């Protein structure tokens, strides 16, 4: 590839242009990349994950520059690349997104270190080399034939181009060409790609990002699309046996941000490596993005709690993604906000994409909007499961509608109402019929909750003291007691006074199983026709949730 002398300097404006062009390129290639996603999990979302990660990076960079009085002219290169990398870190999605975030962090580690006066060509080559090295270190078990391989090839080509007569545009162009050549070779390096006859999806996205870097520095536009869909012809391996055809591996993807010391993160890596696979931990300086595939999502989150402070926790069941990977793009999905790891797993098993909220830390509009996008469906039913989240859910739904997704928000005020709605969810029926049925099921479910008073206060049932057990029905305090069991029975008596067919009990992490047995016996003794089901809410759930349908 022949290059003209560098028309643009390597500065904050170039980083801003790179970000915008990369986001646009990933937006164009998003569906094509999703379609060829077969490794490590054929969940048809690599393009989407890369796009959402780049979108988060672009948003933070834009916010930084908007705060500078005279735009990019007033921002330094170190400030710009650090914002770019930090935005990718906090918004990283999936394997590919977390690796891209670490690649950008590697770039920022070099360009963010006061590079004034240094040779831009050599500096960019060093940045791309650091990026590839950091990405390899972030992945627990690196595999060749992936975007890691593409990143390494790009770095080697960049180093070779950073000679005495080279410039930053030449280095970026060489990295782009090296990445494209490496991408074409990936089907011969990874059996899953060879069988499918496709290139690595993450590598394809990285090529788009590097093409945008070259364009930002050279002013020249890459080929209409970097490297698309199908690989160059490669010898087909024998058809896999039936056992290989079955989708093995963990059932859940768990992603969260974590505030923790590096030593604790090292221990966390060891714990998560035992729990599952596809482990990627990126970040540094006290903030990390953790991605892992596991069968026990609660254990993955619990390990994070031991290490530090996790938040923005997202747990996704792979069932819907695997259907999409077979070409069955989801027509409809359910997104549910839940407070409690066990509830998240329960909703995930029912096919919902879950957003796990911690007490006192409700999800923001952007987080719910991202979850709707990640559901990758034309129609989405959103279950906020909290009266205080209705406005947030409505705003997220409005954003999604502007992007062409049909969204209905069912005004569920408790997780037990969300479970009732999920129980009647019919993805094969019409959208309107499904929404009506789910809304009716939620509305027909009265909800109760037990909480412990933190201080003396006035309630609708009288004055409570710190340590009293509060029994809430439909959001209002109805009973004030001194013990969990007695208060729960009093709440059940009031809720069943107007009838019911099914009682749902969701136990918090500190509540003994004996309480569930006592309440089940209480219901059976006084209401012979009423069935009872019990679930474990897990960490962060209320002491007891009660639903009566």
């Amino acid at each position: 590839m022949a290059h003209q002398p560098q028309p643009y300097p390597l500065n904050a404006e170039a980083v801003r242009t790179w970000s915008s062009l990369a986001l646009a390129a990933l937006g164009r290639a998003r569906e094509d990349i999703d379609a060829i996603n077969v490794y490590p999990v054929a969940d048809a979302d690599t393009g989407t994950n890369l796009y959402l990660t780049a979108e988060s990076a672009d948003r933070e960079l834009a916010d930084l520059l908007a705060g500078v009085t005279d735009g990019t002219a007033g921002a330094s290169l170190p400030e710009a690349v650090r914002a770019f990398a930090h935005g990718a870190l906090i918004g990283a999605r999936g394997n590919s997104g977390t690796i891209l975030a670490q690649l950008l962090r590697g770039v920022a580690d070099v360009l963010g270190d006061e590079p004034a006066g240094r040779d831009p060509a050599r500096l960019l080559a060093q940045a791309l080399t650091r990026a590839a090295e950091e990405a390899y270190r972030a992945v627990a078990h690196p595999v060749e034939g992936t975007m890691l391989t593409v990143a390494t090839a790009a770095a080697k080509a960049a180093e070779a181009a950073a000679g005495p007569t080279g410039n930053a545009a030449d280095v970026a162009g060489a990295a782009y060409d090296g990445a494209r050549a490496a991408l074409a070779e990936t089907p011969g390096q990874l059996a899953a790609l060879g069988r499918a006859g496709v290139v690595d999806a993450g590598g394809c996205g990285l090529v788009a990002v590097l093409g945008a870097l070259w364009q930002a520095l050279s002013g020249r536009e890459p080929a209409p699309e970097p490297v698309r869909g199908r690989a160059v012809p490669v010898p087909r391996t024998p058809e896999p046996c039936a056992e290989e055809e079955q989708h093995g591996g963990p059932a859940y993807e768990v992603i969260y941000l974590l505030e923790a010391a590096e030593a604790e993160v090292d221990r966390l890596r060891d714990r998560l490596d035992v729990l599952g696979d596809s482990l990627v931990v990126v970040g540094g300086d006290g903030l990390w993005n953790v991605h892992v595939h596991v069968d026990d999502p609660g254990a993955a989150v619990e390990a994070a709690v031991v290490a530090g402070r996790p938040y923005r926790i997202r747990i996704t069941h792979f069932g819907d993604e695997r259907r999409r990977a077979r070409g069955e793009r989801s027509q409809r999905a359910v997104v549910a906000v839940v407070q409690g790891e066990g509830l998240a797993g329960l909703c995930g098993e029912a096919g919902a994409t879950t957003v796990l909220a911690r007490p006192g830390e409700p999800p923001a509009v952007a987080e719910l909007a991202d979850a709707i996008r990640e559901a990758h469906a034309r129609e989405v039913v959103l279950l906020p499961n909290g009266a205080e989240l209705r406005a947030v859910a409505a705003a997220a739904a409005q954003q999604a509608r502007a992007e062409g997704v049909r969204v209905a928000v069912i005004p569920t005020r408790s997780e037990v109402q969300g479970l009732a709605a999920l129980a009647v969810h019919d993805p094969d029926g019409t959208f309107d019929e499904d929404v009506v049925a789910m809304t009716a099921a939620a509305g027909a479910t009265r909800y109760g909750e037990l909480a412990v008073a933190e201080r003396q206060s006035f309630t609708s049932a009288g004055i409570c003291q710190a340590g009293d057990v509060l029994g809430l029905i439909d959001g209002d305090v109805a009973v004030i007691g001194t013990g969990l069991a007695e208060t729960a029975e009093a709440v059940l008596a009031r809720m069943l006074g107007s009838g019911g067919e099914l009682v749902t009990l969701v136990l918090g992490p500190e509540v003994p199983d004996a309480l569930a047995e006592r309440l089940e016996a209480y219901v059976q003794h006084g209401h012979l026709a009423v069935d009872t089901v019990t679930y474990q809410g897990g960490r962060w759930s209320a002491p007891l949730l009660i639903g009566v349908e």
Side-chain angles (χ1 to χ4, degrees):
M1 180 185 297
H3 301 292
Q4 300 297 323
Q6 178 188 344
Y8 303 114
L10 182 60
N11 57 16
E13 185 174 357
V15 176
R16 182 72 187 99
T17 303
W18 177 23
S19 176
S20 298
L21 292 172
L23 183 62
L26 289 171
R28 291 191 299 271
R30 180 176 177 172
E31 291 190 1
D32 287 340
I33 295 174
D34 281 345
I36 63 169
N37 172 203
V38 298
Y39 183 87
V41 177
D43 48 4
D45 66 355
T46 290
T48 298
N49 287 335
L50 286 167
Y51 178 82
L52 292 174
T53 304
E55 184 181 51
S56 178
D58 188 70
R59 184 164 53 240
E60 176 138 345
L61 181 57
D63 289 345
L64 166 75
L65 299 178
V68 177
T69 305
D70 53 351
T72 54
S76 68
L77 174 60
E79 289 174 330
V81 293
R82 288 174 188 150
F84 193 28
H86 185 264
L89 173 67
I90 63 175
R93 299 289 187 270
N95 268 290
S96 54
T98 48
I99 292 172
L100 176 61
Q102 192 71 349
L103 287 166
L104 294 179
R105 178 180 172 82
V107 170
D109 283 347
V110 175
L111 300 185
D113 186 23
E114 299 301 332
R118 297 167 63 185
D119 175 23
R122 171 56 55 190
L123 198 64
L124 182 57
Q126 290 173 348
L128 293 174
T129 298
R130 177 75 66 83
E133 292 170 349
E134 291 290 334
Y136 262 96
R137 280 195 285 267
V139 178
H141 302 285
V143 173
E144 296 305 322
T146 64
M147 66 189 296
L148 296 175
T149 306
V150 175
T152 298
K156 289 179 178 178
E159 290 284 0
T165 60
N167 56 42
D170 290 335
V171 170
Y176 174 53
D177 287 343
R180 295 177 76 228
L183 179 64
E185 298 298 321
T186 56
Q189 297 171 310
L190 196 52
L193 304 179
R195 283 195 295 266
V198 297
V199 294
D200 178 66
C204 192
L206 180 56
V207 166
V209 172
L210 291 173
L213 174 62
W214 175 58
Q215 184 177 357
L217 293 173
S218 70
R220 298 178 60 185
E221 189 172 352
E225 290 296 340
V227 174
R228 304 189 66 177
R230 291 279 165 180
V232 294
V234 294
R236 292 278 182 156
T237 57
E239 289 300 314
C241 64
E243 200 172 293
E244 290 176 310
E245 275 295 304
Q246 295 177 0
H247 293 291
Y252 296 92
E253 178 184 61
V254 179
I255 303 173
Y256 47 77
L257 290 177
L258 176 68
E259 293 178 356
E262 187 165 351
E264 292 297 331
V265 172
D266 289 339
R267 285 188 279 271
L268 174 65
R269 282 191 180 97
D270 292 338
R271 295 189 194 103
L272 294 180
D273 199 22
V274 173
L275 287 174
D277 59 29
S278 297
L279 173 61
V280 185
V281 181
V282 304
D285 301 322
L287 180 63
W288 312 83
N289 190 304
V290 179
H291 169 279
V292 67
H293 296 171
V294 294
D295 280 321
D296 186 349
V301 177
E302 185 175 352
V305 174
V306 173
R309 176 181 174 269
Y311 59 103
R312 290 196 187 180
I313 301 164
R314 183 169 290 107
I315 300 170
T316 304
H317 191 268
F318 281 125
D320 289 339
E321 283 76 6
R322 284 165 177 161
R323 284 192 290 274
R324 280 190 244 121
R326 296 195 298 268
E328 303 169 12
R329 182 180 174 87
S330 176
Q331 175 68 24
R332 188 175 313 142
V334 178
V335 174
V337 181
V338 294
Q339 188 168 292
E341 298 165 3
L343 284 167
L346 191 63
C347 291
E349 289 174 4
T353 294
T354 59
V355 177
L356 184 56
R358 292 180 58 169
E361 297 182 16
V365 173
E367 190 172 358
L368 282 188
D370 283 350
I372 293 172
R373 293 188 191 102
E374 290 176 6
H376 197 68
R378 300 181 182 90
E379 300 169 344
V380 172
V381 179
L382 180 57
L383 305 175
N385 293 335
E388 73 283 2
L389 289 177
R390 291 182 65 176
V392 173
Q398 190 60 36
Q399 283 190 20
R401 292 183 189 116
E403 298 172 9
V405 181
R406 190 178 184 190
V407 184
V409 179
I410 296 180
T412 50
R413 294 173 290 171
S414 169
E415 283 88 348
V416 289
Q417 287 189 322
L419 291 174
L422 272 172
V424 300
H425 169 51
D426 180 12
D428 296 324
T430 69
F431 185 67
D432 291 338
E433 289 172 344
D434 197 22
V435 170
V436 168
M438 293 177 75
T439 302
T445 302
R446 300 190 69 195
Y447 64 97
E449 178 180 340
L450 263 60
V452 178
E454 296 180 356
R455 57 186 177 276
Q456 184 187 63
S457 60
F458 292 94
T459 75
S460 52
I463 300 175
C464 70
Q465 305 297 324
D468 283 348
V469 179
L470 307 180
L472 291 81
I473 298 176
D474 295 337
D476 294 322
V477 177
V479 179
I480 299 175
T482 56
L484 282 176
E486 297 80 5
T487 308
E489 287 179 350
V491 170
L492 274 170
R494 294 198 184 197
M495 294 180 72
L496 288 169
S498 56
E501 298 176 357
L502 175 66
V503 170
T504 299
L505 303 174
V506 180
L507 274 61
E510 305 300 327
V511 175
D513 292 339
L515 176 61
E517 296 170 1
R518 174 171 171 171
L519 296 180
E520 289 172 2
Y522 174 83
V523 172
Q524 187 177 23
H525 177 74
H527 306 272
L528 296 178
V530 178
D531 293 325
T532 306
V533 293
T534 302
Y535 302 113
Q536 296 294 328
R539 187 186 297 270
W540 299 324
S541 65
L544 180 67
L545 295 176
I546 302 172
V548 175
E549 302 175 47

